[in-house]
Amino acid sequence: MFFDTDLRKKILFFIIIGFFFVLVFQLYQMQILENISYSEKSSENSVKEYLINAPRGTIFDRNFNVLVSNKPIYTVELIPANYSKENNPKIEKIFNLEDGYINELLEKYRSYSSYLPRRIKRNIEFQSLVWLEENSEKLNGLEYIVDLQRDYPYGIMGSHIFGYLREISADKLRNYSEEYQMGDLIGSQGIEKTYEDILRGEKGVQYYLVDSQQKKIGKYLNGAKDIPTTKGNDLVLSIDGPTQKKAEELFENKRGALVAIQPATGEIIAFVSSPQFDLNKLSSVTSRDEWAKLQTDTTKPLFNRATMSIYSPGSTIKPLEALIALENGVVDENFTVNCQGGYQYGNRFFKCTHVHGKTDLIKSIEKSCNTYYYQLFLKIGFENWSNFMQRFGFGHLTGVDIGDETSGILPTVEYYNRRLGKGKWHEGMLISLGIGQGEFATTPIQLAQYTALIANNGITKTPHFVKGYIRNDDNAFVPLEYSDLKVDVSKKTFDIVKEGMYKVVHGAGTAQHIKIPGIEIAGKTGTAENPHGEDHALFIAFAPFENPEIAVAVMVENVGYGGTHAAPIVKEIIKSFLMPNEQKNMTIISAGIKGE
Amino acid sequence: MKIGYKIQDKFDFGIFLPLILLMIIGLLVIYSATVNHPTASGNFNKQLVSAVISIVAFLVIYSIPEKTFRISAFPAYLISLLLLIVVLVVGKTVYGAKSWLSLGPLGLQPSEFAKIGLILFLAHWVSRDDRDINNIKDIGVALMIGFLPILLILLEPDLGTAIVFAAITLTMIFWGGINLFSLFIVLSPGIVTFASLFGLPVLIIALVGILVILMFFKRNLFTSATVFVVNIASVFFFDYGVKLLQPHQQKRIEAFLNPLADPLGSGYNALQAKVAIGSGGLFGKGFLSGNQTQLRFIPEQWTDFIYCVIGEEFGFFGSVITLSLFLIIFIRLLNLSTITKDKFSSLIIIGILTLLFTHFAINIGMNVGITPVIGLPLPFLSYGGSSLMVNTILLGITMNIYKHRKLHT
């Protein structure tokens, strides 16, 4: 060695070893000899923070009727650190939980502090609460809290509009650990999902003195350090409560969908997908029974038919066909076809519903003459046809603010080239597209959007449910912006097509029976062919004819003709929205009669 | 003949394995202390990233040529001083000390990186052949090399880190071959001032002890008298210095002397830390199950009080295992310091050993209540990227020295 280090090394060695043993001795003294006294100190009175869930924002309709609010419920929580698993069977029985549910829950959140409460059941019944209170001495680690649950006081279901809340998934929880705690509810469908951040609010904190069993024994400093919750912002929907209610009534025991839009703004006035499901049940029950039931139901109530189901638009597409032909100058309004009950193309005969005789463009819409449109389709040309369809929103998503949506099928040249091969198909094979059959498939909301475009001469906005929100800080209304949808077509063309649609109701057309005194309606019936059973009834309409305020599309599954089954529904919806007072008067009159 | 190298010959697992184990334990307890914490729940992920970067830094330092350290010694020291000055001007104040430099999204503590600068440069200076460490001038210069960063750090003010720098300087001078009398001159003022903390009787006993030792050395009267006067002066100087300290630091010194006087004030942390450790018992309350930790009785537990999470959740058993891992590293470093190729490398290792040991002793000491609450992180375990990275880099330097320890390579 290059210098004498022996002694110095020894000195350092003894300092290190010496200190090591001092520490070990001190630990031995504290953790072994004085452990009992320290343990007592540790479990003495201490302060514990309780996070208080913020009330979610209220959801209003366009006239500030409360559609969705909150109601207080009792929720049972379990704190694993103080809980004994021997109680599992008893508790599972009392609270109506499946066997093994508690173990499963504990396992799921194994990696979280055992002092954080796990919510085991929401909205417990009063008897269960009494039982819990009476047996609290024996049930360490079980507590109940007053929590909030969604309430639907207006009496509409709106299951596909509002959507439901579910417990936050473990994955999401990891990514949003600042905003959410385990067991928190988070919007997982519909408006509750899309506007989660606006509706959520901020949690509050309350401090309690707790004993070693973590039972509350009083408020800490009389609540001086508590942080109040901040309620979520209130949403204002464009839904019209009474009209929505009417629409839901009209769809009772029917399967189908309805979308009503204000043409100029894109605001959705009413929106139904039937059958619906009960949001009340979903928001209170943790059990998977209700889920299993909904998921296996053959009528598919969870499926949003208004945005997800696709059907041939049938004859409801004819006004648009006429529009395309006129706008392209292929024909003018005087183009006439002599309908002899069908159209011969090559060796195939395409049928019409009736023998319409001499038919011009207006009459073709009014009477829904197929013969006319087989020929019109060939004149327009397939490529031109699909380009125009696309501009009216078909084949892509409308972008409505409730998530789940499908774009339908709009056949294009590329589509057939890919499917059948280039040169292996010709337009003659596609003639039935001209009457809205064949491989053309649309969603009800696309039909409503298209109707709105016709009604408002080619200008509307992305269909949406939410007009804006009321900011919690200052009660200011914050409107939300939506993008424009414009189709450049001459007003003259629109006027001709609209005249045809007007005659469907007010002329000798296919929906004469839905006239409402005082309101001029323009519409078009349709029937989507269904190879598996009864046809689906379709109807689109807008009103009032001069300054349209509402555009509606209705689809009713497996009932037959659109004029017979879908049009009357549209009539009631238009009446409800445009003549709200008359409805009220009727109720007053009938109430009066009952009174006598 | 080809020498059959085993990997151990070039890479010391006696240091590397305890290092890795300590880092893993650190991550576990940081997770436990911050899980579901409203503001600190992201700390585990940040520390995980720091740990990975640190290991990479360790391997990089391990691989660079050994002469790098000698070449970079002076520049590293100069840059350290520069950064310590910069932080006083534009630094961010955290817990009452202006010790942070913000570089975009990253934060950096110059005093952490200054440790590398001090150790390298002091080792370089003391190991030069023309130095005589018992020459009063050379001692003076060596002390000055340590004193400059200490002064700057005291201005932040960060008492804990200043103590660490003082310990490094003194121990490296000691290792440099200082004789007992010179050592006594350097150390005695510190011992006397420390004694003064415990009141007048203890101070008088200490001063009497100094007198006895001075007689034992039998130097001339002038020298002896000067040393004695310097000792007394240092007590007054210290007393004056304490008044310049931040109120929270004064309180901490008081709290150490009597922790029960103000259980909810500055002694609160010390008391709760002891309760946490003491209530851990033999095997602890289990991971994520310590009520002191999970109910957040100890503020900012993931930094300076991380050891009491181990004490509470893993008990005596876990606490002693952790201590033992440190002990292995310390003894290993001490042994390596005598088998290096040259004095420079040996001094570096002793500097590193002193740094780690001082942090260890003060941090765990305050956790178990035998040293004052002085804010110093526990190496490899406490949350904090700068500290973790510097400490692993230092061990990387050690490993590099170990690899090149043989003269023929």
Side-chain angles (χ1 to χ4, degrees):
Chain A
M1 200 54 217
F2 31 81
F3 63 104
D4 163 42
T5 52
D6 219 28
L7 175 70
R8 285 161 210 271
K9 187 178 172 185
K10 268 186 195 144
I11 292 173
L12 292 186
F13 179 78
F14 282 114
I15 290 176
I16 293 169
I17 286 288
F19 199 81
F20 174 77
F21 280 108
V22 167
L23 290 179
V24 171
F25 177 75
Q26 173 75 0
L27 287 171
Y28 175 74
Q29 172 126 352
M30 288 163 71
Q31 297 186 304
I32 310 293
L33 300 181
E34 295 171 11
N35 172 246
I36 292 168
S37 113
Y38 278 116
S39 295
E40 272 169 13
K41 272 197 194 120
S42 134
S43 48
E44 266 171 19
N45 289 356
S46 50
V47 181
K48 192 179 165 195
E49 55 174 42
Y50 285 82
L51 288 172
I52 309 299
N53 284 336
R56 279 178 89 80
T58 303
I59 301 179
F60 295 108
D61 81 344
R62 65 192 299 125
N63 299 311
F64 293 92
N65 294 308
V66 176
L67 301 181
V68 184
S69 58
N70 304 299
K71 65 179 175 193
I73 51 158
Y74 290 108
T75 291
V76 187
E77 295 187 335
L78 183 156
I79 295 154
N82 307 320
Y83 177 77
S84 145
K85 285 188 180 173
E86 290 160 23
N87 288 330
N88 278 0
K90 194 160 59 181
I91 289 163
E92 278 161 359
K93 197 157 170 262
I94 297 279
F95 294 117
N96 235 335
L97 300 164
E98 289 156 44
D99 289 345
Y101 178 81
I102 293 179
N103 261 337
E104 211 173 290
L105 187 82
L106 292 177
E107 192 59 24
K108 187 171 158 197
Y109 294 116
R110 200 182 47 222
S111 64
Y112 289 83
S113 161
S114 59
Y115 285 90
L116 278 180
R118 277 69 161 154
R119 292 195 188 120
I120 61 171
K121 172 103 178 178
R122 285 167 214 281
N123 201 8
I124 55 169
E125 282 160 22
F126 187 67
Q127 294 96 305
S128 314
L129 180 72
V130 173
W131 178 83
L132 187 65
E133 189 57 40
E134 282 173 351
N135 296 284
S136 67
E137 288 300 308
K138 287 177 261 169
L139 296 169
N140 276 338
L142 273 199
E143 284 180 2
Y144 63 85
I145 57 162
V146 178
D147 204 0
L148 291 167
Q149 183 185 305
R150 277 309 209 190
D151 190 29
Y152 306 91
Y154 195 78
I156 61 175
M157 301 189 79
S159 36
H160 300 93
I161 304 174
F162 310 132
Y164 43 82
L165 305 168
R166 295 196 76 178
E167 246 178 49
I168 185 164
S169 68
D171 279 346
K172 258 223 168 90
L173 193 53
R174 269 192 289 280
N175 293 331
Y176 298 94
S177 59
E178 302 210 347
E179 294 93 336
Y180 299 97
Q181 265 74 41
M182 79 175 85
D184 277 359
L185 295 175
I186 179 168
S188 78
Q189 278 294 325
I191 282 170
E192 299 272 21
K193 181 183 184 188
T194 310
Y195 298 96
E196 168 71 18
D197 290 343
I198 292 178
L199 288 167
R200 187 178 62 231
E202 276 169 43
K203 285 170 190 268
V205 185
Q206 290 183 356
Y207 294 94
Y208 284 90
L209 288 170
V210 292
D211 63 15
S212 58
Q213 253 68 56
Q214 303 302 311
K215 291 235 160 102
K216 294 177 195 172
I217 51 178
K219 292 219 72 174
Y220 174 64
L221 297 177
N222 280 325
K225 294 212 158 183
D226 291 0
I227 302 165
T229 57
T230 311
K231 186 179 185 274
N233 305 294
D234 296 341
L235 280 186
V236 181
L237 303 192
S238 55
I239 290 285
D240 180 60
T243 307
Q244 175 69 21
K245 200 170 194 170
K246 187 86 204 170
E248 292 188 357
E249 279 165 24
L250 293 165
F251 267 95
E252 261 170 41
N253 303 319
K254 290 192 183 72
R255 279 179 287 129
L258 173 148
V259 181
I261 297 179
Q262 191 171 47
T265 59
E267 291 176 357
I268 296 175
I269 295 160
F271 182 98
V272 177
S273 167
S274 183
Q276 307 212 50
F277 50 94
D278 191 351
L279 289 172
N280 276 307
K281 278 190 189 156
L282 282 191
S283 57
S284 67
V285 179
T286 331
S287 151
R288 282 152 284 188
D289 288 358
E290 194 68 26
W291 271 109
K293 219 165 82 190
L294 281 172
Q295 272 159 349
T296 53
D297 191 328
T298 51
T299 65
K300 295 191 177 167
L302 288 172
F303 183 63
N304 188 343
R305 287 168 160 79
T307 57
M308 294 290 286
S309 71
I310 54 171
Y311 300 100
S312 302
S315 304
T316 58
I317 209 69
K318 284 175 183 164
L320 184 51
E321 305 253 357
L323 182 140
I324 298 170
L326 288 171
E327 190 64 15
N328 279 291
V330 181
V331 298
D332 64 13
E333 55 180 299
N334 300 318
F335 172 68
T336 306
V337 162
N338 189 3
C339 170
Q340 296 298 332
Y343 177 63
Q344 185 74 41
Y345 182 86
N347 53 4
R348 270 195 72 186
F349 185 70
F350 293 90
K351 277 205 276 186
C352 188
T353 49
H354 298 87
V355 178
H356 292 110
K358 284 194 110 184
T359 307
D360 64 6
L361 190 131
I362 303 242
K363 189 183 169 190
S364 76
I365 298 175
E366 182 182 356
K367 294 282 187 186
S368 198
C369 174
N370 289 352
T371 311
Y372 195 91
Y373 286 94
Y374 293 134
Q375 297 184 38
L376 213 53
F377 177 76
L378 291 173
K379 281 181 181 293
I380 293 167
F382 175 55
E383 188 161 4
N384 215 351
W385 177 90
S386 58
N387 283 345
F388 243 90
M389 287 291 164
Q390 205 153 348
R391 286 162 64 188
F392 273 80
F394 295 108
H396 45 92
L397 304 177
T398 65
V400 65
D401 52 350
I402 55 165
D404 289 351
E405 192 185 356
T406 177
S407 56
I409 301 165
L410 177 65
T412 56
V413 173
E414 300 86 70
Y415 172 84
Y416 283 116
N417 279 343
R418 205 171 50 237
R419 253 201 52 198
L420 303 173
K422 209 165 183 174
K424 296 196 172 156
W425 58 278
H426 57 92
E427 289 184 359
M429 298 162 67
L430 312 175
I431 283 180
S432 52
L433 289 176
I435 58 159
Q437 307 291 354
E439 280 170 277
F440 185 22
T442 60
T443 62
I445 193 166
Q446 282 174 335
L447 285 182
Q449 187 181 51
Y450 139 65
T451 312
L453 279 169
I454 299 266
N456 204 40
N457 299 330
I459 305 168
T460 184
K461 284 177 187 279
T462 305
H464 58 270
F465 288 97
V466 177
K467 287 165 81 111
Y469 61 95
I470 301 168
R471 195 161 49 205
N472 192 50
D473 314 343
D474 54 2
N475 276 333
F477 178 75
V478 183
L480 297 182
E481 298 293 329
Y482 297 90
S483 50
D484 287 336
L485 181 64
K486 279 190 186 141
V487 185
D488 198 14
V489 171
S490 74
K491 171 125 189 341
K492 185 168 173 268
T493 305
F494 275 118
D495 285 345
I496 299 165
V497 169
K498 281 155 107 175
E499 196 190 332
M501 290 175 76
Y502 177 80
K503 291 216 165 142
V504 170
V505 180
H506 296 277
T510 48
Q512 300 165 46
H513 53 292
I514 66 158
K515 284 194 204 68
I516 306 169
I519 304 174
E520 292 183 312
I521 302 175
K524 182 70 194 81
T525 54
T527 304
E529 284 173 9
N530 175 14
H532 309 292
E534 195 77 38
D535 290 343
H536 307 308
L538 298 167
F539 192 67
I540 60 170
F542 62 89
F545 182 67
E546 288 304 330
N547 281 306
E549 279 298 313
I550 180 168
V552 196
V554 161
M555 182 274 297
V556 188
E557 286 178 7
N558 308 111
V559 286
Y561 289 116
T564 321
H565 300 280
I569 294 178
V570 173
K571 173 187 174 185
E572 293 300 321
I573 293 305
I574 290 174
K575 204 162 130 189
S576 167
F577 185 66
L578 296 178
M579 295 181 154
N581 294 327
E582 192 153 311
Q583 296 275 321
K584 268 185 209 149
N585 290 344
M586 292 289 285
T587 336
I588 293 164
I589 292 165
S590 61
I593 293 167
K594 267 182 204 161
E596 280 170 5
Chain B
M1 192 187 111
K2 202 177 171 216
I3 298 165
Y5 274 121
K6 286 189 173 163
I7 187 160
Q8 172 64 34
D9 199 48
K10 293 211 163 221
F11 190 85
D12 186 17
F13 285 97
I15 286 176
F16 189 70
L17 288 183
L19 164 71
I20 295 296
L21 287 174
L22 285 172
M23 279 166 103
I24 291 171
I25 294 173
L27 284 168
L28 278 178
V29 286
I30 285 170
Y31 180 79
S32 179
T34 59
V35 63
N36 277 294
H37 191 283
T39 55
S41 56
N43 287 4
F44 171 76
N45 288 337
K46 289 189 209 157
Q47 185 76 357
L48 188 61
V49 172
S50 301
V52 173
I53 296 173
S54 298
I55 295 287
V56 172
F58 176 92
L59 294 174
V60 169
I61 296 291
Y62 169 70
S63 322
I64 60 178
E66 58 159 344
K67 60 173 187 258
T68 320
F69 304 126
R70 203 182 276 274
I71 296 168
S72 59
F74 186 58
Y77 180 73
L78 266 191
I79 292 169
S80 300
L81 289 184
L82 203 69
L83 283 175
L84 285 172
I85 293 167
V86 170
V87 81
L88 287 178
V89 184
V90 298
K92 200 171 87 182
T93 304
V94 177
Y95 305 124
K98 218 172 184 184
S99 61
W100 277 81
L101 271 186
S102 293
L103 303 172
L106 299 168
L108 179 118
Q109 272 181 292
S111 58
E112 286 295 331
F113 290 93
K115 289 168 181 171
I116 303 176
L118 174 69
I119 292 174
L120 289 184
F121 184 54
L122 198 56
H124 179 60
W125 197 86
V126 172
S127 65
R128 275 175 60 172
D129 291 340
D130 53 348
R131 301 283 171 239
D132 174 8
I133 199 67
N134 286 311
N135 173 320
I136 196 82
K137 194 187 119 235
D138 284 353
I139 291 185
V141 175
L143 285 175
M144 193 48 72
I145 291 172
F147 184 71
L148 279 178
I150 291 175
L151 186 75
L152 292 169
I153 289 165
L154 277 175
L155 286 174
E156 288 183 358
D158 182 352
L159 179 64
T161 310
I163 291 174
V164 173
F165 275 63
I168 292 172
T169 311
L170 292 175
T171 314
M172 285 176 75
I173 291 172
F174 168 71
W175 193 251
I178 199 169
N179 66 36
L180 278 183
F181 184 67
S182 307
L183 182 70
F184 170 71
I185 295 175
V186 172
L187 284 185
S188 62
I191 294 167
V192 173
T193 16
F194 187 68
S196 74
L197 281 175
F198 296 90
L200 198 60
V202 184
L203 173 64
I204 289 169
I205 294 169
L207 286 174
V208 171
I210 297 285
L211 275 179
V212 172
I213 296 170
L214 280 173
M215 277 180 239
F216 168 77
F217 275 119
K218 291 182 189 144
R219 297 291 164 122
N220 66 48
L221 189 65
F222 178 73
T223 311
S224 301
T226 311
V227 170
F228 191 68
V229 169
V230 165
N231 271 298
I232 294 179
S234 70
V235 173
F236 286 102
F237 186 73
F238 177 75
D239 194 45
Y240 176 72
V242 166
K243 290 191 181 113
L244 291 180
L245 283 181
Q246 297 289 302
H248 78 270
Q249 288 173 329
Q250 286 181 16
K251 273 212 171 134
R252 278 179 180 178
I253 294 173
E254 281 167 35
F256 165 62
L257 297 172
N258 187 4
L260 292 169
D262 179 18
L264 287 173
S266 53
Y268 171 84
N269 288 2
L271 200 64
Q272 291 298 349
K274 282 182 84 175
V275 169
I277 294 172
S279 61
L282 186 57
F283 291 110
K285 300 173 187 171
F287 186 52
L288 300 176
S289 297
N291 55 327
Q292 294 281 115
T293 300
Q294 302 301 337
L295 297 177
R296 296 174 205 145
F297 274 71
I298 302 139
E300 303 275 331
Q301 197 176 0
W302 49 91
T303 57
D304 297 349
F305 283 99
I306 197 71
Y307 187 70
C308 58
V309 184
I310 301 174
E312 185 180 24
E313 298 195 342
F314 302 113
F316 183 68
F317 190 68
S319 309
V320 173
I321 285 181
T322 309
L323 291 187
S324 307
L325 290 171
F326 276 108
L327 186 67
I328 294 170
I329 293 182
F330 295 151
I331 298 300
R332 202 60 211 151
L333 287 176
L334 191 59
N335 286 334
L336 292 187
S337 75
T338 55
I339 59 166
T340 55
K341 181 160 62 174
D342 52 25
K343 192 171 174 183
F344 174 67
S345 308
S346 177
L347 278 162
I348 289 179
I349 291 180
I350 287 302
I352 293 169
L353 170 62
T354 311
L355 181 149
L356 294 177
F357 181 74
T358 314
H359 270 267
F360 164 85
I362 292 181
N363 181 285
I364 297 191
M366 92 184 170
N367 270 273
V368 300
I370 58 173
T371 56
V373 177
I374 295 170
L376 273 184
L378 184 57
F380 315 119
L381 280 98
S382 284
Y383 170 72
S386 294
S387 153
L388 180 65
M389 189 147 146
V390 167
N391 290 328
T392 26
I393 285 177
L394 289 173
L395 286 190
I397 295 175
T398 312
M399 199 70 90
N400 188 303
I401 292 171
Y402 175 78
K403 182 171 75 173
H404 298 109
R405 70 190 180 284
K406 287 170 189 165
L407 283 165
H408 63 266
T409 52

